[in-house]
């Protein structure tokens, strides 16, 4: 029998708090996101040409490694801001590289489990996503080991899955909508600047714009995720 569970914050509250944290601390976030944006743009351009595709592939691997490290730092900064604390970048970066393999491990395990859950059993697949939602945050924020993070994530979600589902669903839909609007606006601008001699770069340009749109909402979405994790721990 399930015990009485404290209600989690609504999507509107999470989004509002995360947006406020983002706008007040945008420089702290973008100090780490900007190198990823620039590196990704360079990779996209290099991969578009056969002469530089090999170098582009090597650079892509380096960018992915940096992206994992950045995820640790950005998530910790988000958690600090969602707790109402001042940003402490030194603490956010403390032992960040030590979280690389645990974060990769928990990501692989939970992704595989939820993938097969979604492939064969749609509803149980979504339940698995909610059960393992907190695992990456446990690894990053509380320095948990892979098995510990997965086990505690399941416990945090117990009795709260329906509440989590609707809260995260509406927040996710709004974030996707915002990213899509940004993409459309930037695509229109690109199309207006496009010339007939540059037409072969349109596909690459759209890929870069899509990535920029996604990166622009990363701190906001990170705030929503860490805010939910914080709420689950306090509930």
């Amino acid at each position: 029998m399930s015990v009485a569970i404290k209600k989690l914050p609504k999507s509107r509250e999470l989004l509002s708090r995360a947006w406020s944290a983002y706008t007040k601390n945008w420089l702290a976030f973008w100090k780490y996101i900007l190198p990823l944006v620039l590196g990704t743009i360079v990779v996209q351009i290099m991969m578009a040409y056969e002469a530089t595709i090999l170098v582009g592939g090597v650079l892509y691997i380096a960018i992915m490694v940096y992206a994992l490290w950045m995820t640790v730092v950005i998530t910790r900064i988000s958690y600090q801001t969602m707790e109402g604390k001042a940003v402490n970048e030194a603490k956010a970066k403390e032992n960040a590289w030590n979280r690389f393999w645990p974060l990769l491990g928990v990501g692989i395990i939970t992704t595989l489990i939820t993938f097969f859950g979604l492939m064969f059993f749609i509803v149980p697949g979504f339940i698995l996503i909610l059960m393992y939602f907190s695992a990456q945050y446990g690894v990053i924020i509380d320095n948990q080991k892979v098995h510990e993070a997965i086990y505690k994530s399941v416990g945090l979600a117990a009795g709260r899955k329906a509440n989590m589902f609707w809260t995260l669903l509406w927040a996710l839909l709004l974030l996707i909508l915002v990213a899509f609007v940004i993409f459309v606006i930037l695509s229109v601008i690109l199309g207006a600047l496009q010339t007939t001699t540059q037409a072969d770069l349109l596909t690459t340009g759209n890929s870069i714009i899509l990535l920029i749109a996604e990166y622009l909402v990363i701190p906001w979405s990170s705030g929503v995720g860490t805010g939910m994790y914080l709420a689950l721990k306090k509930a």
Side-chain angles (χ1 to χ4, degrees):
M1 181 180 294
S2 298
V3 296
I5 297 297
K6 180 181 177 181
K7 281 282 187 179
L8 298 173
K10 295 183 181 297
S11 303
R12 180 173 55 188
E13 180 185 346
L14 273 180
L15 285 164
S16 176
R17 287 173 53 207
W19 176 253
S20 177
Y22 180 11
T23 54
K24 290 178 181 178
N25 303 280
W26 66 272
L27 186 58
F29 287 110
W30 275 90
K31 183 185 296 185
Y32 304 99
I33 296 174
L34 187 58
L36 180 62
V37 173
L38 297 177
T40 304
I41 290 174
V42 172
V43 167
Q44 288 285 331
I45 294 173
M46 295 182 75
M47 296 291 280
Y49 298 96
E50 187 174 349
T52 56
I53 193 169
L54 182 59
V55 178
V58 174
L59 183 57
Y60 173 79
I61 295 173
I63 289 296
M64 290 301 98
V65 171
Y66 173 80
L68 271 178
W69 177 84
M70 185 208 73
T71 299
V72 174
V73 177
I74 290 298
T75 301
R76 288 176 174 177
I77 291 176
S78 290
Y79 193 73
Q80 291 170 359
T81 59
M82 293 300 284
E83 279 193 304
K85 297 179 179 178
V87 172
N88 187 333
E89 293 182 45
K91 190 172 182 179
K93 292 187 289 186
E94 184 178 346
N95 298 320
W97 282 114
N98 292 342
R99 298 290 84 204
F100 181 88
W101 292 112
L103 180 59
L104 184 62
V106 82
I108 292 173
I109 293 172
T110 57
T111 298
L112 286 175
I113 294 174
T114 54
F115 172 76
F116 284 112
L118 289 170
M119 282 289 291
F120 300 107
F121 311 100
I122 301 299
V123 174
F126 282 112
I127 293 175
L128 289 170
I129 291 174
L130 296 170
M131 286 172 60
Y132 299 134
F133 168 81
S134 298
Q136 68 167 343
Y137 299 104
V139 166
I140 294 172
I141 296 167
D142 295 322
N143 297 315
Q144 296 169 359
K145 296 180 179 179
V146 174
H147 68 280
E148 180 187 7
I150 292 174
Y151 176 77
K152 289 188 174 181
S153 178
V154 173
L156 288 175
R160 304 182 177 101
K161 296 182 189 68
N163 197 173
M164 288 175 64
F165 176 78
W166 292 112
T167 299
L168 293 172
L169 176 63
W170 296 121
L172 178 63
L173 289 175
L174 180 61
L175 289 168
I176 291 174
L177 177 61
V178 171
F180 177 73
V181 171
I182 293 172
F183 171 74
V184 170
I185 293 173
L186 293 178
S187 294
V188 170
I189 295 173
L190 176 66
L193 297 175
Q194 202 78 18
T195 66
T196 54
T197 57
Q198 297 172 317
D200 58 321
L201 297 177
L202 184 59
T203 301
T204 301
N206 282 332
S207 298
I208 292 173
I209 287 173
L210 179 60
L211 288 168
I212 292 174
E214 292 174 356
Y215 290 145
L216 282 171
V217 299
I218 281 178
W220 197 7
S221 62
S222 181
V224 170
T226 53
M228 175 60 76
Y229 180 63
L230 179 62
L232 287 169
K233 289 173 64 177
K234 291 184 175 181

